[in-house]
Amino acid sequence: MESLHNHNIHIPLFSLLFFLFHFSSLHFLSLAYEQPDKYFVNCGSKANESLTGRVFTADSSSGFLCLEKSKAVESTNPSQSLYQTARIFYNQSYYEFPIAENGTYIVRLHFLAFSSPINLSSALFNVSAFPTVSNFGFKLLNNFTAKNSSNSPLIEEFFLAIGPGSLKLYFTPQGSSFAFVNAIEVFLAPSKFSPQNYSSSFPLVLRKTYRVNVGDQEITPDNDKIWRKWEQDDRYLSDPNTAKEFRSPNEPHYDGGELNDSATDGFVGADSDFVAPGLVYRTAKVMTDNTTGLSNPFNITWSFSVSVDARHLVRVHFCDIIGQPGNIVFNLYSNGNFITKVGPHNLNWPFYYDFVRSNGSEFINISICPSKDTTTNNAFLNGLEMLEIIEGPALSNPPASVCNMKGPNKIKVGLVVGSVIGGLSLICILIVGILFGLKYRKAKRVETSEWSPMPAFGGGSTHSRLTDGTITGSPMNYLNLGLKISFAELQQATNNFDTKLLIGEGGFGNVYRGTLLNGRNVAVKRGKRDEQGSGQGLPEFQTEIMVLSKIRHRHLVSLIGYCDERSEMILVYEFMEKGSLRDHLYDSNLPRLSWKQRLEICIGAARGLHYLHTGAAGGIIHRDVKSTNILLDENHVAKVADFGLSRSGPLDETHVSTNVKGTFGYLDPDYIMSQQLTEKSDVFSFGVVLLEVLCARPAIDTMLPRDQMNLAEWGMLCKKKGLLEQIVDSSIKNQIDPSSFRNFSETAEKCLQEDANDRPAMGDVLWDLEYAFQLQQTAKHREPHEDSTANASSAFVLPNVLCFPSVSSTINIDDLALPGDDELDTTEVEVFSQLRVGDAR
């Protein structure tokens, strides 16, 4: 997102703000974690309810509920204490909870379809979470139903990494159905919850699928300090004859981290019973005495049914209670794949290990087997937690809601203020000091005119909202370029927007694969229905049409057409066969891109951006350059996509924006502080993409240590220390010529300069990347042991390549504007994939 420059004395402002706000909670986390007393809500009730140490406040007087579109319902038969009432929503509504501290929060939703005049088991709805500090959210439950043959409560549990602000939980009925909830819990999780070995481009969002106590009976919520239920493990054992229970009379030593030096990296010591109850660590499954002749080569295996389309974070709990300290060493496997070696560890010291299991199988098998490094033929497991990783799609722009929060506010203002005032005072002092220093910075900033919002019209007619006015107030006649497609044709192209053809989902709407009447494959992005006529999503819709109807370029995605009938906002693009660049950097199911392919993709994207900045359209700033917006066709040709946030106009005007827009991790820190946008903001974002391409890791990874969390900062810090080659994607390390590597890394460094005036223009970036490609192509032959980036930090021997701009960077057929380009070769405009699930705006 931003560049880390002089790491000894100079800290970029946005990095400092990110650090202060995102980690201000460290002051509090250094204190002992106590049993939480935050938000516990008894939904649909007028009375408070006590349950296992918690007081659930009646939502009608809590101040957390939007009451405009909901009603309470009571059970007609005696039910469990917390499940006598429910809150029903016939329209989208929400609960809002103030969040004072940064951290990982536990969100529990309770559902019981009890007997009532309304058949609760027929409810079908979605639940989404929107932390206000991040401006995007996540769909927690999709097409959820609480129908349950056992007539027992369903408790859905989530872990969300969020910061100070507020958290809105939206309940959205599907179709003509309704939504309901019986109770809600929101509280800060223990500080050591954060997984150790998890990487994602999105903030942490996890959904609990399994929590198992191995070796003993079920643990009920009243025996867990944060009210978790731990199942008994026997039902998951593949072969019960391989394991036996083992119990210890001794309490575990919750000292946290007191592990032997020989312990494998990644293990974490449990510092309290908030990590897992003592009952988990005092019991275990161990190998049976008679293992000879057993068919299972892993000795003990547990098998769990999971969604084939999801990745899971697995946390395994260990505590050596067997009585042979220093001797037990064994291996941990998942689906037959070696994960890590366990032990030896001290007696009665609990610890855990996190790993991510990729999708692709209907089962996750967890196995333990004695290691060859030990003479003790044994292995053990104490507990296991499995959580589904909700990786997307991220939902941008929280739903517009006009709602009064009724009832007295029960927030403990004094507690909140007292808990943060110390940290905030320090933050304010630092911010004021930095802003005072910025007063004396002299730099020219340029921003183009922003697309003005169009007047919104309500649905229900065939009226076209794009023909009533424009940016300048005159009709948009120049949009009549044969791009308009009827809604009826798009219905036919997508089989009436069949969910089987859904390829993406985001804040603007869903993206479907379709086939037009002429046989052309397209991606159809259908905006969400604007029932209230608020105009939400209209500026993006308008901007996308205006930008893409003015330009044609081989490295910019083509707009095939649009539809604005009635209240519809639909955009139709060419279909990109290979999806996004991000898919090929992080998706383990796709072939890894070679270094040459990555260079060609970067060059193609740079050509597209260079044309945007300087082409016949008069200068356009993309404002949302990222790896998900660089799409690849069937030949891996790169095209820049998604122009909903773009700005257009002459590049010599100064303009100050009050709304900084973009994607967290790619935002230009100079733009954030000055609120003055230039084409150099795109250059900064593209520099982050260059590091993503080199290192194959997300721009922001909240699970890494603080100094590694921000890729731009971490990469530049490694560059300055001469260690950048150590974080290069291992799959390409042996492919990169040292000279090409040096040139590429220096190009990224120039793009990531903190001061926008110090960054090169995109044309210069393009030239540098083409030169890096030439260096790679003409690299001298080296012996296999020399063909490595290990030499990249030493003296480089440049091949005999003339340092002149390539023909393509001076006069390039790709850079010619092609207005009205309906007769382009369709082999280049028929393939498009508009932001797969997890990537759609």
Side-chain angles (χ1 to χ4, degrees), residues 71 147-148 261 390 395 407 431 463 655 751 765 777 828:
K71 64 177 293 185
K147 188 175 182 179
N148 187 356
D261 293 338
I390 302 179
L395 306 175
I431 291 175
H463 184 74
H655 183 80
C751 292
V765 175
Q777 289 290 83
E828 290 188 2

Side-chain angles (χ1 to χ4, degrees), residues 464-504:
S464 171
R465 43 178 135 186
L466 291 184
T467 58
D468 275 67
T470 69
I471 304 166
T472 60
S474 59
M476 295 172 61
N477 294 326
Y478 60 88
L479 283 183
N480 188 17
L481 303 175
L483 295 178
K484 199 162 185 179
I485 302 176
S486 71
F487 182 69
E489 181 177 353
L490 294 180
Q491 280 184 304
Q492 182 175 346
T494 59
N495 194 19
N496 198 22
F497 301 98
D498 190 344
T499 55
K500 294 179 181 179
L501 298 176
L502 186 67
I503 59 173

Side-chain angles (χ1 to χ4, degrees), residues 245-266:
E245 294 183 3
F246 193 94
R247 301 188 182 191
S248 171
N250 301 316
E251 291 290 339
H253 299 303
Y254 285 111
D255 287 25
E258 294 295 333
L259 306 178
N260 288 348
D261 293 338
S262 61
T264 305
D265 290 340

Side-chain angles (χ1 to χ4, degrees), residues 446-462:
V446 179
E447 181 167 13
T448 57
S449 58
E450 186 171 12
W451 304 110
S452 302
M454 295 290 297
F457 297 89
S461 73
T462 58

